[in-house]
Amino acid sequence: AHFLEPSGMLLGAFPQAQLRKLEASRPRLVFAYRASCFAYSATGAVYAACLPRLPTAFRSTVLCGGGWFAAALLLQGGLSFMNDAVATLGRPVPFSRRLWQTLDRLLAWTLTANAAATARVWAASAESTAHPALAPAMVLSFLTFIPSRLCEVWGRMVPFLAWHSAWHYVPNAIALAWILQTAAGGPGAGGAEAE
């Protein structure tokens, strides 16, 4: 059976039964997949905690202020968990799976677009003290979504879980390294020095 998603992409029916079997046969992989949802929340929490120590250019993003971006990242962890770790695995959810899927995807893609655009701005900032390879690495890490999506469409659930976990972990790990390096960095990185 096939259905047409709002994006217009033709997909096979999602194999939840196969994912449920993997909970028993590959519990560590399923655990890593579920836990990966909170990589967004970890990034949001660290960014919020580091905001006072970041240079001025790093206290906002292309779309919003830093506090709002941190809050959106915190929220994304919960939305991702409800969609990916609960509804996708066939567990009952309040309201509907479609609602959680829509909210997760809407915020995830908004955050991804914002992060990609912001990476260019932050990398170009004279206040940047992080390694220059982090900006392109973060943007390129978003490509982990492609094999994740293809594996989902093709019904290859073991590689789907691995790639989708990478889609959560890799960009967030790079963002965390960038935020922490910048917060600990050279001139202008301290609250008192920046004033």
Side-chain angles (χ1 to χ4, degrees):
H2 291 89
F3 63 95
L4 205 55
E5 287 205 332
S7 66
M9 184 181 287
L10 190 62
L11 301 176
F14 197 80
Q16 288 180 341
Q18 193 179 351
L19 286 171
R20 296 290 295 267
K21 287 179 185 174
L22 289 174
E23 288 183 288
S25 66
R26 305 289 294 267
R28 287 184 291 202
L29 177 61
V30 173
F31 177 81
Y33 167 74
R34 284 183 165 142
S36 75
C37 298
F38 293 105
Y40 298 105
S41 297
T43 302
V46 169
Y47 182 53
C50 289
L51 271 173
R53 294 190 313 272
L54 289 172
T56 305
F58 290 78
R59 293 182 192 159
S60 64
T61 69
V62 170
L63 294 179
C64 61
W68 285 106
F69 188 57
L73 286 164
L74 287 164
L75 175 63
Q76 181 57 35
L79 292 177
S80 178
F81 185 81
M82 287 302 295
N83 178 46
D84 293 344
V86 179
T88 296
L89 291 175
R91 303 278 185 230
V93 292
F95 309 108
S96 70
R97 178 177 189 267
R98 177 60 78 186
L99 172 69
W100 293 108
Q101 182 182 55
T102 301
L103 292 173
D104 174 34
R105 289 181 178 178
L106 179 65
L107 188 56
W109 283 108
T110 302
L111 290 171
T112 300
N114 186 38
T118 300
R120 291 191 61 199
V121 173
W122 285 2
S125 170
E127 296 177 298
S128 182
T129 57
H131 192 282
L134 288 175
M138 188 170 81
V139 173
L140 289 173
S141 72
F142 296 140
L143 295 176
T144 58
F145 178 77
I146 295 168
S148 165
R149 188 65 170 155
L150 290 174
C151 290
E152 179 183 7
V153 170
W154 296 334
R156 299 186 65 224
M157 293 297 103
V158 169
F160 162 73
L161 292 175
W163 279 110
H164 203 80
S165 296
W167 158 247
H168 291 170
Y169 285 127
V170 176
N172 281 291
I174 294 169
L176 285 167
W178 195 353
I179 292 163
L180 291 169
Q181 281 185 21
T182 302
E193 295 175 60
E195 295 179 75

